[in-house]
Amino acid sequence: MAARDAPDVPSAPLSAGDLARLRELFPVTRRWVYMNHAALAPLPGPAADRLVAAARQAAADGDRRWPAWHEEIERVRGQAARLLGVAAASRIAFVENTSVALSLIAEGLPWKAGDNVVSAACEYPSNVFPWMNLRRFGVELRLVAAEDGRVPAEAVIARIDEGTRVVALSWVQYASGFRSDLARLGAACRERGVLFVVDAVQGLGALHLDAGALPVDAVAAGTQKWLLGTEGLGLLYLGPRAEERVRPTRAGPRSMRHMFDWDRLEIDWNDGALAHEPGTLNTLGILALGRSLEVLLDLGPRAVEARVLSLVDRLADGLTAAGLRVFSPRGAAERSGILSVIHPRQPAAALTARLEERGIRVTDRGGRLRLAPHVYNSEEEVERVVAELAAC
């Protein structure tokens, strides 16, 4: 493997036995070489089992299980806080998806004409439309151009001025896999009194994040990708500065401190991010997510990151040797679980279809082939993908 700067994560190779046991938790491995986690992850077996068990309990007992489920929801909230590196679980809200989490922030801030938001032109639409929708208030959205897949921190910082209220960026760009420098960007935002909002859906679950220690004000992430959860569920983290500035825009019994006192009809917002949970939650999805988070937390976020990056490095080296061009930035601090590559002869869409015929799930984004392995993928699977693409 080609030499490169080592990331700031410990090396934690899985033994053959540990990897075999881990792969047993993922039924998808029996049918597919699955490297499409940046699109939609397969559920781990324990998560699928919990989902089915909860559905059967609901069918057999109606609401009888609800008190126990409520307690389990709060346990899962605590797991999510641990994964994010957040001390207070009340800073985590369960929402429907990344778009809703970002929209809650965008709609909950006090805007005035002449304000602006700084983001990137290569963002996924979930992190564009909530901010673009503010134009009705006279708010400008400033989109920084990408440079060879990168969103340079200095270019983002240069667009901040006295009218900037928010910098909204993806931690990892969905098409290129570029990882932003959250510490540098967050520090620049703090110096200027600007909120730093991070779309973490393409990093959280694959990469280690310590949101409580970083100068990050808010984090949004759906659970259906690297967190190995279901669709229709997401996480919203609000730090102290975001909590102070973002007012709730949706109200219901759960968003109040007295959520179970239904005769008390007065506004008394719940603590932290809990104020942004107005009503019934995606209970079954949260219960399943708890099992997925157990898998990630048992391995340890740093160990998961080390393995994911190791697999991506192996892919990058093998595909480069096979004549493909790696588009994804490969600096030590820029790498992620996403690898974007260009074949010298075959279009990405055709390669995606060809690999699917051979039992390999990947996708194409931005006219390039996108590979996204997770912690349970094996080195043998990497070699199989490289061999298939080398033969195209």
Side-chain angles (χ1 to χ4, degrees):
M1 183 174 291
R4 58 174 57 82
D5 295 333
D8 185 23
V9 292
S11 177
L14 290 172
S15 69
D18 288 341
L19 179 59
R21 283 186 288 274
L22 177 61
R23 287 174 61 79
E24 278 297 311
L25 300 179
F26 290 85
V28 73
T29 59
R30 298 162 202 164
R31 294 189 58 189
W32 296 95
V33 173
Y34 199 91
M35 295 194 180
N36 203 22
H37 299 88
L40 183 67
L43 283 177
D49 292 344
R50 186 67 187 97
L51 190 64
V52 171
R56 286 177 175 162
Q57 289 169 345
D61 296 325
D63 72 345
R64 184 173 175 273
R65 301 281 183 164
W66 191 88
W69 286 351
H70 175 74
E71 291 183 7
E72 192 169 349
I73 285 171
E74 295 312 307
R75 182 183 65 81
V76 178
R77 192 190 308 278
Q79 290 176 306
R82 281 178 56 201
L83 193 75
L84 277 152
V86 176
S90 61
R91 295 204 174 278
I92 306 292
F94 292 114
V95 295
E96 296 93 316
N97 47 56
T98 310
S99 296
V100 166
L102 293 168
S103 293
L104 289 173
I105 298 169
E107 299 296 327
L109 288 168
W111 301 100
K112 65 179 184 301
D115 288 345
N116 69 72
V117 176
V118 176
S119 189
C122 57
E123 289 287 328
Y124 190 76
S126 293
N127 199 25
V128 176
F129 292 137
W131 312 108
M132 189 176 285
N133 192 39
L134 299 173
R135 64 177 55 167
R136 68 190 190 278
F137 301 128
V139 176
E140 176 192 4
L141 176 58
R142 300 177 173 182
L143 297 177
V144 176
E147 301 176 10
D148 294 324
R150 295 174 171 85
V151 182
E154 58 272 17
V156 174
I157 295 168
R159 297 301 303 275
I160 301 173
D161 62 18
E162 65 278 359
T164 305
R165 298 291 171 262
V166 170
V167 169
L169 283 176
S170 287
W171 184 18
V172 174
Q173 290 296 331
Y174 80 102
S176 71
F178 170 75
R179 183 186 346 187
S180 289
D181 186 343
L182 300 186
R184 181 180 176 188
L185 289 162
C189 288
R190 292 282 168 93
E191 291 170 3
R192 295 159 176 80
V194 174
L195 280 185
F196 186 30
V197 177
V198 176
D199 176 350
V201 73
Q202 292 293 6
L204 191 62
L207 306 175
H208 174 256
L209 179 65
D210 194 347
L214 286 167
V216 168
D217 296 304
V219 175
T223 66
Q224 77 278 14
K225 300 181 187 292
W226 302 94
L227 289 170
L228 306 172
T230 64
E231 293 183 277
L233 180 62
L235 304 175
L236 170 63
Y237 160 72
L238 294 180
R241 297 199 324 150
E243 179 185 345
E244 180 181 306
R245 301 184 196 186
V246 180
R247 69 175 180 84
T249 58
R250 306 187 298 183
R254 279 196 68 92
S255 54
M256 304 300 156
R257 295 181 194 278
H258 51 280
M259 68 173 72
F260 299 126
D261 187 354
W262 302 316
D263 294 326
R264 183 179 170 187
L265 302 180
E266 61 181 87
I267 297 292
D268 183 14
W269 296 111
N270 211 335
D271 297 327
L274 302 181
H276 298 270
E277 290 181 355
T280 303
L281 299 174
N282 179 358
T283 298
L284 270 61
I286 295 171
L287 299 183
L289 177 65
R291 296 298 189 266
S292 295
L293 294 182
E294 284 175 5
V295 173
L296 296 172
L297 290 169
D298 284 349
L299 290 167
R302 290 188 182 276
V304 170
E305 174 172 332
R307 177 155 181 84
V308 168
L309 293 180
S310 174
L311 291 170
V312 172
D313 289 345
R314 195 180 189 98
L315 275 169
D317 290 342
L319 293 175
T320 298
L324 282 79
R325 180 164 73 87
V326 172
F327 179 79
S328 296
R330 301 298 297 147
E334 299 175 331
R335 293 146 57 220
S336 72
I338 292 173
L339 188 72
S340 175
V341 300
I342 299 170
H343 195 281
R345 297 175 300 278
Q346 299 290 338
L351 290 172
T352 298
R354 174 169 175 155
L355 290 176
E356 173 135 1
E357 292 174 355
R358 288 157 173 76
I360 300 170
R361 283 292 294 159
V362 295
T363 194
D364 54 286
R365 291 291 187 271
R368 299 176 295 273
L369 191 67
R370 189 182 73 179
L371 304 102
H374 213 322
V375 64
Y376 66 88
N377 285 115
S378 69
E379 286 77 7
E380 290 76 16
E381 287 178 322
V382 168
E383 298 309 319
R384 180 176 164 190
V385 171
V386 169
E388 291 286 356
L389 287 171
C392 292

